[in-house]
Amino acid sequence: MAELILPLDRPGRREALELVDDFGGSVDFYKVGLELFSRSGPDVVRELQDRGKRVFLDLKLMDIPHTVARAVEAAADLGVDLLTVHAVGGTAMLEAAVAAAGDSLRLLAVTVLTSSSSGDLAAVWGRPIPSVDAEVTRLAEFARAAGIHGLVSSAREVRALRAALGPEAILVTPGIRLPGGDAHDQTRVATPDAAVRDGADFLVVGRAITAAADRRAALAEVRRRMAVGAGAV
Ligand code: C5P
């Protein structure tokens, strides 16, 4: 059954924990990103764990293999469940990350940031990029070959990635919206049922829940649709 991750897109520890306490036991998994981690560090992760929550640490690591391995080891020691690295860090970096992760931390690779266009990639890499989707799949296969456990991808890519990577890869998908909901700044959105049906294992759902007039009702609807997508109802 797919799981739900709520991103703590809040400026500081107090605001983040208010959100967590507001949802009580109804969300098990929270995402701590660069902003919150830069402000509040490992302490906010420990406070989540003290509340019985599991943590997705979205730090998108990329550096020399030794440095990334030490950072992964630190995250594993902290007891987070999921951690992101950049696929473009290369095979040696990815393999060092996997070796440092141990048995319980699962590593997710970011392929192409959804903010990057084919023109952006062509400028950075110095070659024409006719299809961003093809680059996403290529980098996903590259990361899996280095032993990375899963991928973060937009809902638009999840079906192709599931087909390319097989059943074992963990697929995590943001950009989830309820039908008729505001897309905000997301362009590649999907409903929870479609994302699960296409093969997502974890959905990162932020504003579709946190910006709803009735948050609890929105959360219940997201979960209901996830069950529909899984064929459970
Ligand atoms: O509010 P919303 O559901 O759009 O939030 C989605 C979360 O997923 C945010 O934390 C955002 O930074 C993250 N994310 C994303 N798109 C990506 C990667 C991460 O929306 N491609």
Side-chain angles (χ1 to χ4, degrees):
M1 187 63 157
E3 295 198 70
L4 174 67
I5 302 173
L6 196 82
L8 293 175
D9 293 327
R10 292 291 186 270
R13 176 195 157 277
R14 189 175 52 80
E15 296 88 342
L17 293 175
E18 267 171 21
L19 193 63
V20 174
D21 291 338
D22 196 29
F23 283 102
S26 56
V27 176
D28 300 319
F29 241 105
Y30 286 91
K31 179 166 90 73
V32 174
L34 281 171
E35 181 187 7
L36 183 58
F37 198 73
S38 297
R39 287 195 188 279
S40 306
D43 284 349
V44 75
V45 172
R46 291 192 192 98
E47 287 186 88
L48 288 167
Q49 292 165 333
D50 289 345
R51 287 165 165 78
K53 307 304 180 190
R54 289 178 292 165
V55 177
F56 169 16
L57 192 56
D58 188 15
L59 298 185
K60 299 186 177 70
L61 299 174
M62 188 168 86
D63 208 317
I64 60 170
H66 176 80
T67 301
V68 166
R70 295 290 77 78
V72 170
E73 218 169 77
D77 288 347
L78 191 55
V80 305
D81 300 275
L82 297 166
L83 174 69
T84 45
V85 297
H86 269 288
V88 294
T91 299
M93 186 202 87
L94 296 171
E95 287 179 349
V98 171
D103 295 331
S104 55
L105 171 59
R106 287 169 291 175
L107 294 174
L108 306 171
V110 175
T111 56
V112 176
L113 293 172
T114 46
S115 53
S116 300
S117 66
S118 58
D120 294 329
L121 296 184
V124 171
W125 293 346
R127 63 178 169 88
I129 306 291
S131 160
V132 175
D133 288 1
E135 290 301 321
V136 168
T137 304
R138 183 183 68 78
L139 286 167
E141 288 172 333
F142 176 79
R144 283 289 286 160
I148 294 290
H149 309 103
L151 277 300
V152 182
S153 81
S154 82
R156 194 176 90 176
E157 289 137 11
V158 75
R159 184 194 292 255
L161 288 182
R162 178 59 73 206
L165 304 177
E168 298 299 321
I170 303 165
L171 298 183
V172 178
T173 306
I176 303 297
R177 293 294 180 270
L178 290 169
D182 187 340
H184 303 104
D185 54 355
Q186 300 278 15
T187 50
R188 306 188 205 176
V189 298
T191 58
D193 34 318
V196 171
R197 201 175 299 124
D198 283 350
D201 299 300
F202 290 90
L203 306 190
V204 180
V205 190
R207 287 162 295 179
I209 294 172
T210 58
D214 184 343
R215 290 174 168 185
R216 273 171 214 292
L219 175 64
E221 179 60 4
V222 167
R223 286 213 185 272
R224 188 190 70 78
R225 285 182 169 270
M226 288 170 70
V228 169
V233 289

